Amino acid sequence: LNPVLELAGANSFPFTNNAPTESVITCLRDFGITTVMGLSTWVQAVLAQAEGVTVETIYYTGEPFHEADRAWLREKLGVKRFASIGYGAVDAGPMGYACTHCTGGQHHVHDDHVFLELLDPATGAPVAAGEVGEVVVTSLNRRVMPLLRYRVGDLGRWIAEPCACGAASPRFELLGRVEDRFMLAGRRVDYGEILAVVAATPGLAASPQLVIAPGDALTVRVETADGASPAPGLADALRALLTAALPGLDAAVAVLPAGGLERVGRTGKVVRLIDQR
């Protein structure tokens, strides 16, 4: 990515996900950086603590910014545009790109590089437009070590409507990970159901972490959106909302400051599910 930015004539300030937050914010402020690129959860954690900076554009990867997070960043830092860097995997390379009309997890298939399928995880059959399937990719460029029908581990759906950009390449929308659906105390739980409640709760970042202890005891861990200490009663309020939205789901709630959730060391992604059973 850095060589591409250089070819475009853009100044680039590369940071790793392990760079101290204070150093990143200092560079944003001192050099007047207005565009930030990175994993959504890392960008969210850094900007939650940023003061005295203006960010106009955020390019994200890993997972899309939810509308609640977008609204908060627009108000706090004046962000005008959110866009996906692209969809890819280490093994398969680039698999999707986002035009200016794509939002959230929507992408066009890089159909000159890969053949992308959405398959029913249980039967392996292709799913129809609008139905949820597992992303399976075949690389068209890897000839020395071919990648054939590789299971990426993501869920998505085909978008049947033509894109306003005019491109003929198929469009799809990413909908989370295959392991986001799990069994808990005899019932199937979808991470997206819990995410929807958290995303609609003011003051919280839309990246909950679910911890399942032995005996199917579930704890929903979330971070504050603005990096501040959790407000009194916020955890109880979220638990009440979860109980109302998902009857029968008995979950404890822990609200942490930004950066408090366990992350993958190399990438900085929030670990969505920690199953200790």
Side-chain angles (χ1 to χ4, degrees):
L1 183 57
N2 287 324
V4 174
L5 295 174
E6 292 175 2
L7 289 172
N11 293 323
S12 175
F13 296 77
F15 294 97
T16 68
N17 291 320
N18 295 321
T21 298
E22 300 79 9
S23 299
V24 178
I25 295 173
T26 297
C27 284
L28 291 176
R29 183 186 303 113
D30 292 352
F31 292 97
I33 300 172
T34 59
T35 298
V36 177
M37 308 175 72
L39 288 164
S40 304
T41 50
W42 176 82
V43 172
Q44 176 85 359
V46 170
L47 296 185
Q49 302 179 51
E51 297 294 341
V53 303
T54 298
V55 176
E56 296 180 356
T57 303
I58 293 177
Y59 289 102
Y60 57 81
T61 188
E63 56 188 0
F65 274 95
H66 293 274
E67 185 52 42
D69 295 333
R70 293 174 185 241
W72 170 74
L73 287 167
R74 290 190 190 103
E75 180 180 354
K76 176 181 174 66
L77 301 176
V79 179
K80 298 177 181 177
R81 184 186 180 205
F82 295 84
S84 171
I85 297 174
Y87 176 53
V90 173
D91 298 315
M95 296 184 290
Y97 68 92
C99 70
T100 55
H101 297 279
C102 290
T103 59
Q106 296 177 0
H107 295 81
H108 289 271
V109 177
H110 264 306
D111 50 7
D112 52 345
H113 294 291
V114 298
F115 178 65
L116 199 71
E117 301 174 88
L118 297 181
L119 306 180
D120 186 307
T123 67
V127 300
E131 295 181 356
V132 178
E134 182 178 357
V135 178
V136 176
V137 63
T138 296
S139 173
L140 304 180
N141 297 328
R142 296 176 58 114
R143 299 183 180 181
V144 176
M145 186 179 291
L147 197 67
L148 305 176
R149 306 196 85 182
Y150 178 73
R151 300 176 70 174
V152 179
D154 291 327
L155 295 172
R157 69 177 184 92
W158 292 116
I159 301 174
E161 299 78 16
C163 186
C165 75
S169 52
R171 271 195 309 159
F172 63 99
E173 181 180 17
L174 295 170
L175 299 172
R177 299 284 295 172
V178 172
E179 62 266 24
D180 286 348
R181 297 176 175 181
F182 56 92
M183 294 301 296
L184 184 73
R187 65 170 287 178
R188 181 171 293 279
V189 180
D190 191 326
Y191 176 90
E193 296 176 323
I194 297 175
L195 170 61
V197 178
V198 173
T201 304
L204 297 178
S207 54
Q209 183 174 83
L210 311 184
V211 181
I212 308 176
D216 287 347
L218 174 65
T219 299
V220 179
R221 306 175 71 206
V222 294
E223 295 177 347
T224 57
D226 56 5
S229 298
L234 186 55
D236 291 337
L238 176 58
R239 183 174 186 179
L241 291 172
L242 288 169
T243 301
L246 303 169
L249 182 69
D250 184 17
V253 172
V255 181
L256 309 171
L261 296 181
E262 183 175 335
R263 286 170 162 78
V264 179
R266 182 179 65 84
T267 65
K269 289 183 178 180
V270 168
V271 180
R272 289 188 170 192
L273 178 63
I274 302 175
D275 196 337
Q276 302 171 340
R277 293 175 291 185

